[in-house]
Coordinates of all heavy atoms in Angstrom, one line a residue:
Chain A
K2 N 70.7 124.1 -36.6 CA 69.8 123.3 -35.9 C 70.5 122.3 -35.0 O 71.5 121.7 -35.5 CB 68.8 122.6 -36.8 CG 67.9 123.5 -37.6 CD 66.7 124.0 -36.7 CE 65.8 124.8 -37.5 NZ 64.6 125.3 -36.7
K3 N 70.0 122.0 -33.9 CA 70.5 121.0 -33.0 C 69.3 120.2 -32.5 O 68.2 120.6 -32.4 CB 71.4 121.5 -31.9 CG 70.7 122.5 -31.0 CD 71.6 123.0 -29.9 CE 71.7 122.1 -28.8 NZ 72.5 122.6 -27.7
I5 N 67.3 118.6 -29.5 CA 67.0 118.9 -28.1 C 67.0 117.5 -27.4 O 66.2 116.7 -27.8 CB 65.7 119.6 -27.9 CG1 65.6 120.9 -28.7 CG2 65.4 119.9 -26.4 CD1 66.7 121.9 -28.4
N9 N 60.7 115.1 -24.4 CA 59.5 115.5 -23.8 C 59.2 116.9 -23.9 O 59.2 117.7 -23.0 CB 59.4 115.1 -22.3 CG 58.6 113.8 -22.1 OD1 57.5 113.7 -22.6 ND2 59.1 112.9 -21.3
L10 N 59.0 117.3 -25.2 CA 58.7 118.7 -25.5 C 57.5 119.2 -24.8 O 56.4 118.7 -24.9 CB 58.4 118.8 -27.0 CG 57.9 120.2 -27.4 CD1 59.0 121.1 -27.5 CD2 57.1 120.1 -28.7
C12 N 57.3 122.8 -24.5 CA 57.4 124.3 -24.5 C 56.4 124.9 -25.4 O 56.3 126.2 -25.5 CB 58.8 124.7 -24.9 SG 59.1 124.4 -26.6
P14 N 53.0 126.6 -25.7 CA 52.1 127.0 -24.6 C 50.7 126.2 -24.7 O 50.1 126.2 -25.7 CB 51.8 128.5 -25.0 CG 52.8 128.8 -26.0 CD 53.1 127.6 -26.7
T16 N 46.9 125.8 -23.2 CA 45.9 126.5 -22.4 C 45.6 125.7 -21.1 O 45.4 124.5 -21.1 CB 44.6 126.6 -23.2 OG1 44.9 127.4 -24.3 CG2 43.5 127.3 -22.3
R38 N 41.1 119.9 -29.6 CA 39.9 119.4 -30.3 C 40.3 118.2 -31.1 O 41.5 118.1 -31.6 CB 39.4 120.5 -31.3 CG 38.6 121.6 -30.6 CD 37.3 121.1 -30.1 NE 36.5 120.5 -31.1 CZ 35.7 121.3 -31.9 NH1 35.5 122.5 -31.7 NH2 35.0 120.7 -32.9
N40 N 37.7 116.5 -33.3 CA 36.8 116.3 -34.4 C 35.9 117.6 -34.6 O 35.6 118.2 -33.6 CB 35.9 115.1 -34.2 CG 35.1 114.7 -35.5 OD1 35.8 114.3 -36.4 ND2 33.8 114.8 -35.5
Y41 N 35.6 117.9 -35.8 CA 34.9 119.1 -36.1 C 33.4 118.9 -35.9 O 32.7 119.6 -35.2 CB 35.2 119.6 -37.5 CG 34.4 120.9 -37.8 CD1 34.9 122.1 -37.4 CD2 33.2 120.9 -38.5 CE1 34.3 123.3 -37.6 CE2 32.5 122.0 -38.7 CZ 33.1 123.2 -38.3 OH 32.4 124.4 -38.5
D42 N 32.8 117.9 -36.5 CA 31.4 117.6 -36.5 C 31.1 116.1 -36.3 O 31.4 115.4 -37.2 CB 30.8 118.2 -37.8 CG 29.2 118.0 -37.7 OD1 28.7 117.9 -36.6 OD2 28.6 118.0 -38.8
D80 N 46.4 125.9 -10.0 CA 47.7 125.2 -9.7 C 47.6 124.2 -8.6 O 48.1 123.1 -8.7 CB 48.8 126.3 -9.4 CG 50.2 125.7 -9.5 OD1 50.5 125.0 -10.5 OD2 50.9 125.8 -8.5
Y81 N 46.8 124.6 -7.6 CA 46.7 123.7 -6.4 C 46.0 122.4 -6.8 O 46.4 121.3 -6.3 CB 45.8 124.4 -5.4 CG 45.5 123.6 -4.2 CD1 46.5 123.3 -3.2 CD2 44.3 122.9 -4.0 CE1 46.2 122.5 -2.1 CE2 44.0 122.1 -2.9 CZ 45.0 121.9 -2.0 OH 44.7 121.1 -0.9
K110 N 31.5 126.9 -11.3 CA 30.7 128.1 -11.6 C 31.6 129.3 -12.0 O 31.3 130.0 -12.9 CB 29.9 128.4 -10.4 CG 28.6 127.6 -10.3 CD 27.7 128.2 -9.1 CE 26.5 127.3 -8.9 NZ 25.8 127.7 -7.7
C112 N 34.5 129.4 -13.3 CA 35.3 129.4 -14.6 C 34.4 130.0 -15.7 O 33.3 129.7 -15.8 CB 35.7 128.0 -14.9 SG 37.0 127.3 -14.0
N115 N 32.9 126.4 -19.5 CA 32.8 125.1 -19.1 C 32.3 124.2 -20.2 O 31.4 124.5 -21.0 CB 31.7 124.9 -18.0 CG 31.8 126.0 -16.9 OD1 31.1 127.0 -17.0 ND2 32.7 125.8 -15.9
I116 N 33.0 123.1 -20.4 CA 32.8 122.2 -21.5 C 32.4 120.8 -20.9 O 33.1 120.2 -20.2 CB 34.0 122.0 -22.4 CG1 34.6 123.4 -22.8 CG2 33.7 121.2 -23.6 CD1 36.0 123.3 -23.4
T128 N 51.8 105.3 -21.2 CA 51.7 105.9 -19.8 C 50.5 106.7 -19.6 O 50.2 107.1 -18.4 CB 52.9 106.8 -19.5 OG1 53.0 107.8 -20.4 CG2 54.2 106.0 -19.5
N129 N 49.7 107.0 -20.6 CA 48.6 107.9 -20.5 C 47.4 107.3 -21.2 O 47.5 106.5 -22.2 CB 48.9 109.2 -21.1 CG 50.0 110.0 -20.4 OD1 51.1 109.5 -20.3 ND2 49.6 111.1 -19.8
I139 N 28.5 123.6 -24.0 CA 29.4 124.6 -23.6 C 28.6 125.7 -22.8 O 27.6 126.1 -23.3 CB 30.2 125.3 -24.7 CG1 31.0 124.2 -25.5 CG2 31.1 126.3 -24.2 CD1 31.5 124.7 -26.8
S141 N 28.8 129.4 -20.5 CA 29.5 130.6 -20.2 C 28.5 131.6 -19.6 O 27.3 131.2 -19.3 CB 30.2 131.2 -21.4 OG 31.1 132.2 -20.9
D165 N 60.0 125.0 -18.1 CA 60.3 126.1 -17.2 C 59.1 126.3 -16.3 O 59.2 127.1 -15.3 CB 60.5 127.4 -18.1 CG 59.4 127.7 -19.0 OD1 58.8 126.7 -19.6 OD2 59.0 128.8 -19.3
N166 N 58.0 125.7 -16.5 CA 56.8 125.7 -15.6 C 56.3 127.1 -15.3 O 56.2 127.4 -14.1 CB 57.2 124.9 -14.3 CG 57.5 123.5 -14.6 OD1 57.2 123.0 -15.7 ND2 58.1 122.8 -13.6
F168 N 53.4 130.2 -16.1 CA 52.1 130.5 -16.6 C 52.2 131.9 -17.3 O 52.9 132.8 -16.8 CB 51.1 130.6 -15.5 CG 50.7 129.4 -14.8 CD1 50.9 129.2 -13.5 CD2 50.2 128.3 -15.6 CE1 50.6 128.0 -12.8 CE2 49.9 127.1 -14.9 CZ 50.0 127.0 -13.6
E170 N 50.0 135.1 -19.5 CA 48.8 135.7 -20.0 C 48.8 135.7 -21.5 O 49.8 135.5 -22.1 CB 48.7 137.2 -19.5 CG 48.2 137.3 -18.1 CD 47.9 138.8 -17.8 OE1 48.8 139.6 -17.9 OE2 46.7 139.1 -17.5
G172 N 48.7 137.8 -24.7 CA 49.2 139.2 -25.0 C 48.4 139.9 -26.0 O 47.1 139.8 -26.1
E173 N 49.1 140.7 -26.8 CA 48.4 141.5 -27.8 C 47.9 140.7 -29.0 O 48.5 139.7 -29.4 CB 49.4 142.6 -28.3 CG 49.9 143.5 -27.3 CD 48.8 144.5 -26.8 OE1 48.2 145.1 -27.7 OE2 48.6 144.6 -25.6
V175 N 47.8 140.1 -32.7 CA 48.9 140.4 -33.7 C 48.4 140.1 -35.1 O 49.2 140.2 -36.1 CB 50.1 139.6 -33.4 CG1 50.9 140.2 -32.2 CG2 49.8 138.1 -33.2
G176 N 47.2 139.7 -35.3 CA 46.7 139.5 -36.7 C 45.4 138.7 -36.8 O 44.9 138.2 -35.8
K177 N 44.9 138.6 -38.0 CA 43.6 138.0 -38.2 C 43.9 136.7 -39.0 O 44.6 136.7 -40.0 CB 42.8 139.0 -39.1 CG 41.3 138.6 -39.1 CD 40.5 139.5 -38.2 CE 39.0 139.1 -38.3 NZ 38.6 137.8 -37.9
A178 N 43.3 135.6 -38.5 CA 43.6 134.3 -39.2 C 42.7 134.2 -40.4 O 41.6 134.8 -40.5 CB 43.3 133.2 -38.2
W179 N 43.1 133.4 -41.3 CA 42.5 133.2 -42.7 C 42.3 134.5 -43.3 O 41.4 134.8 -44.1 CB 41.1 132.5 -42.5 CG 41.3 131.1 -42.1 CD1 41.6 130.0 -42.9 CD2 41.1 130.6 -40.8 NE1 41.7 128.9 -42.1 CE2 41.4 129.2 -40.8 CE3 40.8 131.1 -39.5 CZ2 41.4 128.4 -39.7 CZ3 40.7 130.3 -38.4 CH2 41.0 128.9 -38.5
D180 N 43.3 135.4 -43.1 CA 43.2 136.8 -43.6 C 44.6 137.3 -43.8 O 45.0 137.8 -44.9 CB 42.4 137.7 -42.7 CG 42.3 139.1 -43.2 OD1 41.4 139.2 -44.1 OD2 43.0 140.0 -42.8
A181 N 45.4 137.3 -42.8 CA 46.8 137.9 -42.8 C 47.6 137.3 -44.0 O 48.4 138.0 -44.6 CB 47.5 137.6 -41.5
G182 N 47.4 136.0 -44.3 CA 48.2 135.4 -45.4 C 47.7 135.7 -46.8 O 48.4 135.4 -47.7
D189 N 50.3 132.3 -55.8 CA 49.5 131.1 -56.2 C 49.7 130.9 -57.7 O 49.7 131.8 -58.5 CB 48.0 131.3 -56.0 CG 47.8 131.3 -54.5 OD1 48.7 131.3 -53.7 OD2 46.6 131.3 -54.1
Chain B
K2 N 24.9 131.2 -15.7 CA 25.4 130.4 -16.8 C 24.4 130.3 -17.9 O 23.2 130.1 -17.6 CB 25.8 129.1 -16.3 CG 27.0 129.1 -15.3 CD 28.4 129.3 -16.1 CE 29.5 129.2 -15.1 NZ 30.8 129.4 -15.8
K3 N 24.9 130.3 -19.1 CA 24.0 130.0 -20.2 C 24.7 129.0 -21.2 O 25.9 128.9 -21.2 CB 23.5 131.2 -21.0 CG 24.7 132.1 -21.5 CD 24.2 133.3 -22.2 CE 23.8 133.0 -23.6 NZ 23.4 134.2 -24.3
I5 N 26.1 128.0 -24.7 CA 26.6 128.6 -25.9 C 26.0 127.7 -27.1 O 26.3 126.5 -27.1 CB 28.1 128.6 -25.9 CG1 28.6 129.3 -24.7 CG2 28.6 129.3 -27.2 CD1 28.2 130.7 -24.5
N9 N 30.8 124.1 -31.4 CA 32.1 124.0 -31.9 C 33.1 125.1 -31.2 O 33.5 126.0 -31.8 CB 32.1 124.3 -33.4 CG 32.3 123.0 -34.1 OD1 33.2 122.2 -33.8 ND2 31.5 122.7 -35.1
L10 N 33.3 124.8 -30.0 CA 34.1 125.6 -29.1 C 35.5 125.8 -29.8 O 36.2 124.9 -30.0 CB 34.3 125.0 -27.8 CG 35.3 125.7 -26.9 CD1 34.8 127.0 -26.3 CD2 35.9 124.8 -25.9
P14 N 42.7 129.3 -26.5 CA 43.9 129.7 -27.4 C 44.7 128.4 -27.8 O 45.1 127.7 -26.9 CB 44.7 130.6 -26.6 CG 43.9 131.0 -25.4 CD 42.9 129.8 -25.2
T16 N 48.0 126.9 -29.7 CA 49.3 127.3 -30.3 C 49.3 127.0 -31.8 O 49.0 126.0 -32.3 CB 50.4 126.5 -29.6 OG1 50.4 126.8 -28.3 CG2 51.8 126.9 -30.2
R38 N 49.9 117.1 -26.6 CA 50.6 115.9 -26.2 C 49.6 114.8 -25.9 O 48.5 115.0 -25.5 CB 51.5 116.1 -25.0 CG 52.7 117.0 -25.3 CD 53.8 116.1 -26.1 NE 54.1 114.9 -25.4 CZ 55.1 114.8 -24.5 NH1 55.8 115.9 -24.2 NH2 55.3 113.7 -23.9
N40 N 51.0 111.4 -24.8 CA 51.6 110.4 -24.0 C 52.9 111.0 -23.4 O 53.6 111.7 -24.1 CB 51.9 109.1 -24.7 CG 52.3 107.9 -23.8 OD1 51.4 107.5 -23.0 ND2 53.5 107.5 -23.8
Y41 N 53.2 110.6 -22.2 CA 54.4 111.2 -21.5 C 55.7 110.4 -21.9 O 56.7 111.0 -22.4 CB 54.2 111.2 -20.0 CG 55.4 111.7 -19.3 CD1 55.6 113.1 -19.2 CD2 56.4 110.9 -18.8 CE1 56.7 113.7 -18.6 CE2 57.6 111.5 -18.2 CZ 57.7 112.8 -18.1 OH 58.8 113.4 -17.5
D42 N 55.6 109.1 -21.8 CA 56.8 108.2 -22.1 C 56.4 107.0 -22.8 O 55.7 106.1 -22.2 CB 57.5 107.9 -20.7 CG 58.8 107.1 -20.9 OD1 59.4 107.2 -22.0 OD2 59.2 106.4 -20.0
D80 N 49.8 131.8 -41.9 CA 48.4 131.9 -42.2 C 48.1 131.5 -43.7 O 47.1 130.8 -44.0 CB 47.9 133.3 -42.0 CG 46.4 133.4 -42.1 OD1 45.7 132.7 -41.4 OD2 45.9 134.3 -42.9
Y81 N 49.0 131.8 -44.5 CA 48.9 131.4 -45.9 C 48.8 129.9 -46.1 O 48.0 129.5 -47.0 CB 50.1 132.0 -46.7 CG 50.0 131.6 -48.2 CD1 49.2 132.3 -49.1 CD2 50.9 130.6 -48.7 CE1 49.2 131.9 -50.4 CE2 50.9 130.3 -50.0 CZ 50.0 130.9 -50.9 OH 50.0 130.6 -52.2
K110 N 63.3 125.2 -41.7 CA 64.5 125.8 -41.0 C 64.2 127.0 -40.2 O 64.7 127.2 -39.1 CB 65.5 126.1 -42.1 CG 66.3 125.0 -42.6 CD 67.4 125.4 -43.6 CE 68.1 124.3 -44.2 NZ 69.1 124.7 -45.3
C112 N 61.5 128.0 -38.6 CA 60.7 127.8 -37.4 C 61.7 127.5 -36.2 O 62.5 126.6 -36.3 CB 59.7 126.7 -37.6 SG 58.3 127.1 -38.6
L114 N 61.3 125.9 -33.6 CA 61.1 124.5 -33.0 C 60.5 123.6 -34.0 O 59.5 124.0 -34.7 CB 60.2 124.7 -31.8 CG 60.3 123.6 -30.7 CD1 61.7 123.8 -30.0 CD2 59.2 123.8 -29.7
N115 N 61.1 122.4 -34.2 CA 60.6 121.4 -35.1 C 60.5 120.1 -34.4 O 61.4 119.6 -33.7 CB 61.6 121.3 -36.3 CG 62.1 122.6 -36.8 OD1 63.1 123.1 -36.4 ND2 61.3 123.2 -37.7
I116 N 59.3 119.5 -34.6 CA 59.0 118.2 -34.0 C 58.9 117.1 -35.1 O 58.0 117.3 -35.9 CB 57.8 118.3 -33.1 CG1 57.9 119.5 -32.2 CG2 57.6 117.0 -32.3 CD1 56.6 119.8 -31.5
T128 N 34.6 113.4 -38.9 CA 35.0 114.3 -39.9 C 36.5 114.4 -40.0 O 37.1 115.0 -40.9 CB 34.4 115.7 -39.8 OG1 34.7 116.2 -38.5 CG2 32.9 115.6 -40.0
N129 N 37.2 113.9 -38.9 CA 38.7 114.2 -38.8 C 39.4 112.9 -38.5 O 38.9 112.0 -37.9 CB 38.9 115.2 -37.7 CG 38.4 116.6 -38.0 OD1 37.2 116.8 -38.2 ND2 39.3 117.6 -38.1
I139 N 63.3 116.4 -31.5 CA 62.9 117.9 -31.5 C 64.2 118.7 -31.9 O 65.3 118.4 -31.4 CB 62.4 118.3 -30.1 CG1 61.2 117.5 -29.7 CG2 62.1 119.8 -30.1 CD1 60.8 117.6 -28.3
S141 N 66.0 122.6 -32.5 CA 65.9 124.0 -32.3 C 67.3 124.6 -32.6 O 68.2 123.9 -33.1 CB 65.4 124.4 -30.9 OG 65.2 125.8 -30.8
D165 N 36.5 134.1 -33.5 CA 36.9 135.5 -33.8 C 38.1 135.5 -34.7 O 38.4 136.5 -35.3 CB 37.2 136.3 -32.5 CG 38.2 135.6 -31.6 OD1 38.2 134.4 -31.6 OD2 39.0 136.3 -31.0
N166 N 38.8 134.3 -34.8 CA 39.9 134.1 -35.8 C 41.0 135.2 -35.6 O 41.4 135.8 -36.6 CB 39.4 134.2 -37.2 CG 38.4 133.1 -37.5 OD1 38.3 132.1 -36.7 ND2 37.7 133.2 -38.6
F168 N 44.9 136.0 -34.0 CA 46.2 135.6 -33.5 C 46.6 136.5 -32.3 O 46.4 137.7 -32.4 CB 47.3 135.6 -34.6 CG 47.0 134.6 -35.7 CD1 47.0 135.1 -37.0 CD2 46.9 133.3 -35.5 CE1 46.8 134.3 -38.1 CE2 46.8 132.4 -36.6 CZ 46.7 132.9 -37.9
E170 N 49.9 137.2 -29.3 CA 51.2 136.9 -28.8 C 51.0 136.3 -27.4 O 50.0 136.5 -26.7 CB 52.0 138.3 -28.6 CG 52.6 138.7 -29.9 CD 53.6 139.8 -29.6 OE1 53.1 140.9 -29.2 OE2 54.8 139.7 -29.9
G172 N 51.7 136.8 -23.6 CA 51.9 138.0 -22.8 C 52.8 137.8 -21.6 O 53.9 137.2 -21.7
E173 N 52.5 138.5 -20.5 CA 53.4 138.5 -19.3 C 53.3 137.2 -18.6 O 52.3 136.5 -18.6 CB 52.9 139.6 -18.4 CG 53.0 141.0 -18.9 CD 54.4 141.4 -19.1 OE1 55.2 141.3 -18.1 OE2 54.8 141.9 -20.2
V175 N 52.8 135.2 -15.5 CA 51.9 135.5 -14.3 C 52.0 134.6 -13.2 O 51.3 134.7 -12.2 CB 50.4 135.6 -14.8 CG1 50.1 136.9 -15.6 CG2 50.0 134.3 -15.6
G176 N 52.9 133.6 -13.3 CA 53.1 132.7 -12.1 C 53.9 131.5 -12.5 O 54.3 131.3 -13.6
K177 N 54.2 130.7 -11.4 CA 55.0 129.5 -11.6 C 54.1 128.3 -11.3 O 53.4 128.3 -10.3 CB 56.1 129.6 -10.5 CG 57.3 128.7 -10.7 CD 58.5 129.3 -11.3 CE 59.7 128.3 -11.5 NZ 59.4 127.3 -12.5
A178 N 54.2 127.4 -12.2 CA 53.3 126.2 -12.1 C 53.9 125.2 -11.1 O 55.1 125.2 -10.9 CB 53.2 125.5 -13.4
W179 N 53.1 124.4 -10.5 CA 53.4 123.5 -9.4 C 54.1 124.2 -8.3 O 55.0 123.8 -7.6 CB 54.3 122.3 -9.9 CG 53.6 121.4 -10.8 CD1 52.7 120.4 -10.5 CD2 53.6 121.5 -12.3 NE1 52.2 119.8 -11.6 CE2 52.8 120.4 -12.7 CE3 54.3 122.2 -13.2 CZ2 52.5 120.2 -14.1 CZ3 54.1 122.0 -14.6 CH2 53.2 121.0 -15.0
D180 N 53.7 125.5 -8.1 CA 54.3 126.3 -7.1 C 53.3 127.3 -6.6 O 53.1 127.4 -5.4 CB 55.5 127.0 -7.7 CG 56.2 127.9 -6.7 OD1 57.0 127.3 -5.9 OD2 56.0 129.1 -6.7
A181 N 52.6 128.1 -7.5 CA 51.7 129.1 -7.1 C 50.6 128.6 -6.2 O 50.1 129.3 -5.3 CB 51.1 129.8 -8.3
G182 N 50.2 127.4 -6.4 CA 49.1 126.8 -5.6 C 49.5 126.3 -4.2 O 48.7 126.0 -3.4
D189 N 44.8 121.3 3.1 CA 44.9 119.9 3.0 C 44.5 119.2 4.4 O 44.9 119.7 5.4 CB 46.3 119.4 2.7 CG 46.7 119.8 1.2 OD1 45.9 120.5 0.6 OD2 47.8 119.4 0.8

Side-chain angles (χ1 to χ4, degrees):
Chain A
K2 292 281 182 181
K3 58 181 279 186
I5 306 299
N9 255 314
L10 169 80
C12 73
T16 298
R38 285 291 303 274
N40 194 64
Y41 181 81
D42 184 22
D80 190 55
Y81 177 77
K110 281 185 185 174
C112 284
N115 314 94
I116 309 168
T128 57
N129 293 65
I139 298 169
S141 190
D165 54 323
N166 298 346
F168 293 123
E170 281 193 297
E173 295 293 309
V175 286
K177 195 101 178 66
W179 292 281
D180 184 77
D189 293 7
Chain B
K2 292 281 184 181
K3 59 180 280 186
I5 306 298
N9 256 314
L10 169 81
T16 297
R38 286 290 303 273
N40 194 65
Y41 181 81
D42 183 23
D80 190 55
Y81 177 77
K110 281 186 185 172
C112 284
L114 204 67
N115 313 95
I116 310 167
T128 57
N129 293 64
I139 299 169
S141 191
D165 55 324
N166 299 347
F168 293 123
E170 280 192 296
E173 295 294 309
V175 287
K177 196 102 178 66
W179 292 281
D180 183 78
D189 292 8

